[in-house]
Amino acid sequence: MEHQIFLIGGAALVTMIAASVFARRTGVAAPLLLVGLGIAASYLPGAPGIELDPEWILAGVLPPLLYSSAVNLPLIDFRRNLRLISWLSVVMVIVSALVIGAVVNWLFPEISFPLAVALGAVVSPTDAVAATAVGRRVGLPPRVMAVLEGESLVNDASALVVLRSAVAGIAAASSFSLGRTAVEFGWAVLGAVVIGGVIGWLTVLLRQRLDDPVLNTTISFAVPFIAYFPAEELDASGVLAVVVAGLVTGGLGSRRFSARDRQTQSTTWTTINFILESGVFLAMGYQLPELVDAAQGDTTLGEITGLVLVVFGLLVVLRFVGLAGPALRDREETRELERARLDQFEQKLDSLTTDEEEEDARIAAARRRLARGRADIEFEEREPITTRGFMTIGWAGMRGVVTVAAAQTIPAGTEHRATVVLAAFLVALITLVLFGLTLPAVIRRMNFSGESPEDRRDAFRALLRHVGESAVDHLGPLEAQTIDGEPIDPQLVKKLKDRILPRVLAGIREVPTVRPDVVEQTMLLQMRYLEAMREALAAERSIGAYSSHTYRKVEAVLDDMEKRLEMS
């Protein structure tokens, strides 16, 4: 049996890699391909039955998957799209669960209202894996990608909280309290934000003090579980705590982790993410025959077909209706109101005069908030979500990992459980097939206009030049620099000013060699200016005048420079 498990695991890895390569060459979404291969594998002669405990998925697979996505999602993108992300991942998930529950209970009275709400909860959260994979290849606007990724991070928590309340209603003789659900949801969110934020901050501080990539990577493996289980024990949302911990780690890591640690973490978590996502979609297809067999004595083909079509139709209608509000909102009027408010705020700041250092610091912080507000307005004008963008977001409503795993957590012995679990699985499968196959064509038909390579290059150079100039302004002229209280040799100052420092500030990766007797001073000075450039980049990123892609590109250049200096 042990040899069989290793054989299955090895075959699964080979299948994942082959599916990924085939998907890249053909354009077929990899998750859809993996589900199909899983279904085919389940019908092979002698294929063993594999029973996956759904708790293993929810507590063992989902936390690292969410953490991996959260730590790589730029915090500035999440903040700027928070209103739309919250609407889709919280309000629409709750509304969808309740509407689906009410309609299913009305059309299929044998399915109790709490069980119907549980079905609505498990099919409500979207899975952005397939959508973002297609979007990156076809050219989906970065902001639409950020919305899809942010939605898929938060909606899992919303759905699982509603599911928890519905399951409690099933156990309590089919009673369901909307008020109790609201209170539980409020605590689940508040508790998760606090726990996830504290865990993320503490682990970043610990990893900052360790100069060992192996230990840092090991700690990063533990973070999602350290955040998940305490939150669940306190009846908060474990998955939301993981998301918050990931966002905090990603936001602070750009300043507090070394370039080597960031690169190691990125490579490691990308690999883990690939294996876990691919494995779950493969298992999702492999389980289909079992789910069909389990539901045969519980329902008829006509009943399950009707249930699946009703749920799927409601999901599609609710998603597009829910997006109509944000799409029709007068964004131009909103921007004008916000611009007027910022103008008033700026006038108030200009009228303030003080000689106290503490007050000056507060005014400086207020001016940074003002600059961030103006940058947000410019971002809205530069990268608006148009009607075509909302249409694409609506069409990217694929379901996946959470839907299948969460459905199977409905207590065994619940009447019509097998029907509900199979319906959830089939709804997820239909969305993967329908949306997964047609999304590339939809995106191409929308004919999105992306940022030109010239504009990206200009933005990159402008930001790099800005952080270089800020570093020089902060540190002062080279002639005034000292090392251990001693002034720098005049000849070295001249060489640094003429040859080396311009290359560092311009982000050019080549560093000329110097005489052995001045190597240490040269390295120290270059690292000093590099650190000042990092501080300037962090300050500029907090304002957000450039795109997250530009910030990542400049950070990559600084990381590369740091690694080269460390190896010199």
Side-chain angles (χ1 to χ4, degrees):
M1 181 62 184
E2 293 179 358
H3 294 292
Q4 191 179 42
I5 292 174
F6 287 117
L7 180 62
I8 293 172
L13 282 174
V14 172
T15 304
M16 294 174 201
I17 295 170
S20 179
V21 172
F22 184 80
R24 291 175 185 176
R25 293 183 177 179
T26 62
V28 178
L32 177 60
L33 188 59
L34 287 164
V35 170
L37 290 172
I39 294 173
S42 67
Y43 287 103
L44 291 175
I50 300 177
E51 187 172 343
L52 288 176
D53 187 340
E55 288 298 330
W56 277 95
I57 303 295
L58 293 178
V61 175
L62 192 56
L65 269 178
L66 292 174
Y67 179 81
S68 173
S69 300
V71 81
N72 289 314
L73 179 65
L75 197 56
I76 187 173
D77 288 349
F78 188 83
R79 176 182 64 79
R80 280 175 166 165
N81 297 292
L82 183 59
R83 181 181 298 176
L84 181 55
I85 289 172
S86 301
W87 174 259
L88 291 172
S89 60
V90 178
V91 177
M92 289 310 302
V93 165
I94 296 174
V95 169
S96 297
L98 294 176
V99 170
I100 289 172
V103 173
V104 168
N105 176 244
W106 176 54
L107 293 176
F108 304 90
E110 65 274 12
I111 299 178
S112 66
F113 180 65
L115 182 58
V117 171
L119 173 59
V122 300
V123 298
S124 295
T126 57
D127 190 321
V129 174
T132 53
V134 171
R136 287 191 183 94
R137 187 179 66 252
V138 181
L140 200 60
R143 189 175 182 189
V144 175
M145 295 272 287
V147 170
L148 291 174
E149 290 176 341
E151 177 195 5
S152 69
L153 284 176
V154 182
N155 61 15
D156 296 340
S158 307
L160 292 175
V161 171
V162 177
L163 175 62
R164 181 192 299 167
S165 300
V167 169
I170 294 172
S174 299
S175 64
F176 182 82
S177 170
L178 187 60
R180 182 187 64 210
T181 301
V183 172
E184 289 177 351
F185 188 86
W187 163 244
V189 172
L190 178 62
V193 170
V194 172
I195 293 170
V198 170
I199 293 298
W201 179 67
L202 289 177
T203 52
V204 166
L205 290 182
L206 175 61
R207 293 171 63 186
Q208 183 184 5
R209 287 165 169 75
L210 298 175
D211 189 22
D212 189 324
V214 174
L215 294 178
N216 264 310
T217 303
T218 304
I219 293 173
S220 75
F221 288 157
V223 172
F225 303 106
I226 296 174
Y228 179 85
F229 287 107
E232 286 293 314
E233 287 296 319
L234 295 173
D235 291 327
S237 172
V239 291
L240 183 57
V242 171
V243 170
V244 173
L247 290 172
V248 170
T249 302
L252 295 178
S254 61
R255 297 182 64 178
R256 297 179 181 267
F257 296 161
S258 68
R260 180 180 57 177
D261 288 337
R262 272 196 302 275
Q263 185 180 42
T264 302
Q265 174 177 268
S266 176
T267 303
T268 301
W269 278 106
T270 300
T271 305
I272 292 173
N273 199 51
F274 167 76
I275 294 173
L276 292 179
E277 282 177 350
S278 302
V280 171
F281 281 112
L282 194 61
M284 181 177 166
Y286 195 87
Q287 284 184 293
L288 178 62
E290 282 187 38
L291 293 174
V292 172
D293 292 341
Q296 277 182 347
D298 200 41
T299 187
T300 64
L301 178 62
E303 289 174 341
I304 193 66
T305 302
L307 179 59
V308 169
L309 290 177
V310 166
V311 174
F312 173 74
L314 286 172
L315 282 177
V316 174
V317 171
L318 287 169
R319 185 161 181 85
F320 280 98
V321 169
L323 283 167
L328 296 174
R329 182 169 56 90
D330 191 341
R331 291 181 290 275
E332 181 61 35
E333 182 179 352
T334 303
R335 285 197 297 268
E336 289 302 322
L337 290 173
E338 183 64 17
R339 190 178 283 111
R341 188 185 68 82
L342 292 175
D343 289 340
Q344 292 177 358
F345 184 49
E346 185 176 24
Q347 291 173 5
K348 183 178 178 180
L349 285 178
D350 291 340
S351 66
L352 295 177
T353 55
T354 178
D355 294 329
E356 296 182 12
E357 185 175 340
E358 185 176 344
E359 287 297 322
D360 287 341
R362 290 179 181 175
I363 292 174
R367 290 199 178 278
R368 284 195 295 272
R369 289 197 301 272
L370 176 65
R372 185 172 67 181
R374 294 199 185 282
D376 288 346
I377 293 175
E378 291 174 3
F379 169 77
E380 284 283 348
E381 294 174 341
R382 185 175 67 246
E383 296 184 40
I385 301 181
T386 62
T387 303
R388 290 177 295 177
F390 281 108
M391 287 291 294
T392 305
I393 292 172
W395 202 254
M398 286 164 275
R399 272 67 182 175
V401 176
V402 176
T403 293
V404 175
Q408 295 180 73
T409 63
I410 296 172
T414 302
E415 193 174 0
H416 299 294
R417 175 187 183 275
T419 300
V420 168
V421 172
L422 179 60
F425 180 94
L426 292 176
V427 167
L429 187 59
I430 290 172
T431 60
L432 277 174
V433 173
L434 177 62
F435 297 135
L437 289 177
T438 58
L439 186 59
V442 169
I443 296 175
R444 292 190 186 97
R445 185 69 179 267
M446 293 300 171
N447 195 25
F448 290 107
S449 56
E451 189 179 19
S452 68
E454 292 78 13
D455 290 341
R456 286 195 170 195
R457 186 165 54 249
D458 291 343
F460 164 72
R461 289 174 177 171
L463 178 57
L464 189 58
R465 182 170 59 252
H466 176 75
V467 298
E469 292 171 351
S470 297
V472 173
D473 292 340
H474 176 71
L475 293 175
L478 267 172
E479 293 84 351
Q481 300 292 311
T482 61
I483 296 179
D484 296 330
E486 296 293 328
I488 305 172
D489 183 276
Q491 291 185 353
L492 178 57
V493 170
K494 186 176 185 306
K495 182 171 291 187
L496 284 167
K497 289 178 67 175
D498 295 343
R499 296 175 55 195
I500 299 176
L501 194 57
R503 293 175 180 251
V504 174
L505 297 180
I508 297 177
R509 300 174 183 179
E510 266 184 54
V511 178
T513 57
V514 294
R515 298 195 321 270
D517 57 335
V518 295
V519 166
E520 186 176 355
Q521 284 189 343
T522 304
M523 294 291 293
L524 286 171
L525 285 169
Q526 289 181 86
M527 290 299 292
R528 185 179 295 177
Y529 277 95
L530 182 59
E531 184 61 31
M533 291 173 73
R534 285 199 184 281
E535 291 294 328
L537 178 62
E540 186 60 38
R541 179 180 267 158
S542 68
I543 295 173
Y546 298 86
S547 68
S548 56
H549 168 81
T550 304
Y551 290 119
R552 282 196 299 265
K553 191 171 181 181
V554 171
E555 183 177 63
V557 169
L558 300 184
D559 285 348
D560 188 61
M561 291 162 57
E562 180 182 321
K563 287 183 289 186
R564 286 174 175 269
L565 289 173
E566 287 176 348
M567 292 187 298
S568 299

